[in-house]
Structure formats: C-alpha cells, structure tokens
Amino acid sequence: MDFQALIMISCLAFVLQVQGIEGIARRPSGNHMPSPKIHRALPAGAKTTICVFSLTNLSQVKKVDDAGRFSAVQTRLVRQLDTDDSGRFRIELPPGTYSVFTKKGNVFYATRRDEKNNIAPVEVLPGKMTRVECSVESSHAAVY
C-alpha cells in the first residue's frame, strides 16, 4: 500500500468516527431506599422523548417545582427524539458538553446537577459514544 492510500484510509476512518450519547430511560417507582441486605433490580425502561440542549444551568430554566421538573429550558435545543418501547436511545452529536432531559407533554425532567448547578451534564468526546441513563417522570413517586 502506498503512502497516499494510507493517508486516504486514515482520513476516511477519522470522518466515519461516530460520537454522541446512548443509553436507556428508566421509570423509577416504589421503594429505592438503599439497604445492605436487599439488592433491588433496576427500574424498567420506559418509552419517552429525550431532549438534548446545549449545557444548561439551573439559572436558565423555569421550574415547575423542586423535583426536577421544568416548564421551559432557555438554551438551544440540539436534538430531540423518541426512545424505542424499552427506553433505549442513540443520538449522534458533535463533541461538546450538553444537558439531557426527558420530556412528558410540555414538561422537561432532569434531577442530576453538577457542582456548578449545570443540569444533567454529559460530555461527548470525539469518536466515542457516551453512556447515559435518564429517569422518566412517573405518576407514581419513587421512595428514596
């Protein structure tokens, strides 16, 4: 193989690199209090809508309540898609840091925050799919 062909193959491999997020949305319900003697199964996956926004701080949303529900997110919506019936999703994204919410009706949901109050931050690295687990708002509250 000559040098030009090697360069072309390397460039093609770089262009074909895929990055983004993938994972499952779960609907927690019931008792989730930690216990040394009881090992609870993971909650079942749930069909929902996943919304990926540019990195969003708590100061950039309108709260519905203090339980991680928001009526508006004031940053740019990058991607939105529905999961499959078991809650699985895969979203290709450019490298960067994003906030990931689930959505039910007109309400966005995310409970995780970092030390700077960025909501559900996820870093996407070049050529890597970042694993994400999301919670879906349930009409039956989980107990922690």
Side-chain angles (χ1 to χ4, degrees):
M1 181 179 297
D2 68 6
F3 183 70
Q4 279 186 323
L6 185 61
I7 295 288
M8 287 182 65
I9 290 171
S10 296
C11 289
L12 184 59
F14 179 77
V15 169
L16 294 178
Q17 283 186 351
V18 176
Q19 67 270 326
I21 61 172
E22 62 185 356
I24 188 165
R26 299 184 185 277
R27 185 180 316 276
S29 63
N31 185 349
H32 287 270
M33 289 295 291
S35 172
K37 296 181 181 180
I38 299 173
H39 299 285
R40 292 175 173 68
L42 288 173
K47 185 169 180 62
T48 191
T49 300
I50 303 291
C51 298
V52 180
F53 287 86
S54 56
L55 186 61
T56 304
N57 190 273
L58 194 58
S59 65
Q60 297 171 300
V61 293
K62 292 184 181 175
K63 287 183 178 184
V64 171
D65 54 28
D66 288 328
R69 296 186 314 158
F70 309 99
S71 61
V73 179
Q74 300 168 339
T75 55
R76 184 174 66 86
L77 177 64
V78 177
R79 294 283 309 273
Q80 176 176 311
L81 70 81
D82 292 330
T83 66
D84 67 14
D85 289 339
S86 64
R88 296 188 187 286
F89 61 91
R90 181 179 173 93
I91 304 172
E92 293 182 15
L93 296 164
T97 305
Y98 303 93
S99 289
V100 179
F101 295 80
T102 57
K103 184 178 180 186
K104 181 178 180 182
N106 291 324
V107 177
F108 300 94
Y109 182 74
T111 56
R112 216 172 30 82
R113 291 194 304 250
D114 68 10
E115 68 281 353
K116 296 178 183 173
N117 274 334
N118 294 314
I119 301 169
V122 175
E123 184 177 11
V124 174
L125 300 172
K128 303 223 182 249
M129 292 302 289
T130 302
R131 184 92 179 124
V132 176
E133 292 228 5
C134 299
S135 292
V136 177
E137 181 185 5
S138 174
S139 56
H140 304 339
V143 177
Y144 292 96

